[in-house]
Amino acid sequence: MRRPSFTLAAVLSAAVLAVAGCGSDGSEADTEDPASDLDGPPIKVGFLNPSGGAVPQPGADTGAAAAVDYINGELGGINGSPIEVVTCDTDTTPEKATACANTFVEEGVVAVMDGFNLSSSATLPALTAAKIPLVGMIAFDSVTGSAAENRVMFGAPQASFLVGAMQAFKQTGKNSVTLALVDTPSSHQTIDVLLPALAGALEMEAKGVYFSPTNPNFTALAATIAKDDPDVGGLVASPNEGACTALVQGLRQLKYDGTIFTAACTDYIEASPAEAAGGALYSSVWLPAAMDNAPDEVKADLEAAEKAISAVEGGTGGFYAYGEFAQFVTFAKALEGVDGEITGEVVLSTLKGLKDFPSFLGPKISCDSPTSPNCTTEMLLFEVQEDGSIKAVGDNFLQPVPEVLAQIPGAT
């Protein structure tokens, strides 16, 4: 029985699925293939692995690999059938995403899992024509997130994270923000359009700045942010954990004492809890650093995810690992009990039919919106504690202002 292929230093599988045009450099491990005990026909899905280009998302492949072993080993697959993954590496360009989509169509996958890609919309023409849905957590491509056709995103839209965070900052007396984003075409919608509109709606002062995707200077960026001494300064989104660490260090060296907003980064907290304390970060799912402060019903799932992700030899943790893990597991759980053959059309109709469904590590989701691919608008905003743990503002998921989200295409 064939197993998924992942571009990792080592993957927990007994064999590698080699697919032309797709990543297939995983190395063999001694661990028994969890799918070997499952006798149902494999359910093949594609995975857009954001491994290359100017803005890779390290950890997404780790989360996917861990999730496949967890689904096949701990959950018994999907109705007794193993999930099998065809991986294709992307580099943020539409051309590569299109090539991956064509490969997935040729391979006959029943869904494509989006790993936080900036050009995922380039896959939609080929996938839609083949009736293969695109399934993700957060649509990092604003075009993907602007309509509901043939796509499902289990997390909130990008706008929710910015709206929810700024809403919470405003409620705690913070009235000015300076936020940075990597300078890519999709970023300008956020910095040039969304941020000013949101600031006006919340009666806040807001400034957006860019940094180079190929040669970022975080010392200079820290100086730019600290210059006006805003109540909140930091990153709307981060290209990697190292960017957050560098920016936090730069801001603290400049004696900036406002709230440092670090997108979804977490590694910098463990590296230097004292510098991180008082900062804030967002997430679509519960993260291990929140274990002590998470609701009791979440802790068992967090422990299971942490165990599976840490078992991936040479893997990378962090938000993208846990977000991707949650995405795959929610997908598998949603398809439990489906009668008959699972096709792309069956996957899409099943996911679109979810109503108040408990997502893995996330909120209850409903995916039936005719105007948005997102199954929720709720998000988590964490505050970094002095001991290095993180605590959710309001102790759980936040609901951004619906009136503000309604002004953003595809958000609701």
Side-chain angles (χ1 to χ4, degrees):
M1 187 171 294
R2 297 190 300 174
R3 286 280 292 141
S5 69
F6 291 98
T7 310
L8 292 173
V11 179
L12 301 180
S13 60
V16 175
L17 172 66
V19 180
C22 290
S24 58
D25 296 329
S27 60
E28 191 170 302
D30 293 332
T31 305
E32 182 182 354
D33 182 354
S36 61
D37 293 331
L38 303 177
D39 54 10
I43 297 171
K44 190 186 294 187
V45 302
F47 173 47
L48 287 167
N49 179 24
S51 60
V55 192
Q57 313 298 355
D61 52 1
T62 302
V68 169
D69 280 332
Y70 176 77
I71 292 165
N72 290 340
E74 301 297 324
L75 301 184
I78 300 174
N79 300 327
S81 291
I83 185 170
E84 182 179 286
V85 178
V86 178
T87 294
C88 194
D89 296 339
T90 63
D91 59 5
T92 75
T93 65
E95 293 78 13
K96 184 59 178 174
T98 299
C100 286
N102 291 333
T103 297
F104 294 145
V105 172
E106 292 171 3
E107 284 293 313
V109 304
V110 300
V112 170
M113 309 298 275
D114 175 28
F116 306 96
N117 282 272
L118 290 172
S119 298
S120 61
S121 61
T123 68
L124 289 170
L127 297 183
T128 301
K131 298 181 179 180
I132 300 170
L134 178 68
V135 182
M137 181 60 73
I138 304 170
F140 271 26
D141 183 333
S142 60
V143 176
T144 298
S146 66
E149 182 188 9
N150 202 57
R151 68 208 84 163
V152 176
M153 298 288 146
F154 293 139
Q158 284 194 60
S160 275
F161 297 95
L162 188 55
V163 173
M166 289 183 64
Q167 179 182 313
F169 294 146
K170 176 68 175 181
Q171 291 172 350
T172 55
K174 298 176 176 67
N175 295 305
S176 59
V177 300
T178 299
L179 299 175
L181 197 56
V182 63
D183 194 355
T184 63
S186 62
S187 299
H188 284 261
Q189 176 70 21
T190 300
I191 292 294
D192 300 345
V193 180
L194 178 57
L195 183 60
L198 178 56
L202 295 176
E203 298 182 344
M204 298 177 71
E205 295 179 17
K207 180 179 179 181
V209 294
Y210 297 101
F211 59 92
S212 168
T214 55
N215 189 29
N217 185 331
F218 292 106
T219 300
L221 181 62
T224 299
I225 291 173
K227 179 178 64 176
D228 297 326
D229 195 27
D231 295 328
V232 180
L235 298 166
V236 177
S238 175
N240 53 59
E241 289 279 353
C244 290
T245 300
L247 183 61
V248 170
Q249 290 174 345
L251 288 170
R252 292 307 189 210
Q253 287 172 1
L254 293 168
K255 308 301 181 185
Y256 174 72
D257 60 0
T259 297
I260 300 178
F261 185 45
T262 55
C265 293
T266 55
D267 285 1
Y268 75 98
I269 302 173
E270 185 175 349
S272 182
E275 286 185 342
L281 60 137
Y282 62 66
S283 180
S284 56
V285 296
W286 287 97
L287 299 172
M291 182 75 76
D292 292 342
N293 301 313
D296 290 341
E297 63 271 18
V298 175
K299 292 180 178 178
D301 286 344
L302 261 179
E303 290 172 351
E306 189 171 27
K307 178 181 178 182
I309 288 170
S310 64
V312 178
E313 184 180 347
T316 302
F319 166 76
Y320 294 112
Y322 285 87
E324 199 66 41
F325 187 94
Q327 175 185 318
F328 268 81
V329 175
T330 296
F331 174 84
K333 287 179 173 288
L335 293 176
E336 287 178 2
V338 171
D339 291 329
E341 181 184 3
I342 293 181
T343 64
E345 291 176 281
V346 169
V347 169
L348 184 62
S349 63
T350 300
L351 297 184
K352 289 288 188 181
L354 295 179
K355 195 77 173 174
D356 294 324
F357 183 80
S359 65
F360 190 83
L361 296 181
K364 289 185 177 181
I365 57 175
S366 296
C367 306
D368 57 349
S369 171
T371 56
S372 172
N374 303 99
C375 300
T376 183
T377 58
E378 293 183 291
M379 48 78 71
L380 288 162
L381 182 69
F382 292 113
E383 292 179 330
V384 183
Q385 308 300 299
E386 291 186 358
D387 63 357
S389 67
I390 58 177
K391 189 176 189 302
V393 173
D395 296 329
N396 217 313
F397 284 84
L398 298 178
Q399 175 63 67
V401 179
E403 292 79 11
V404 176
L405 289 178
Q407 300 175 36
I408 303 165
T412 58

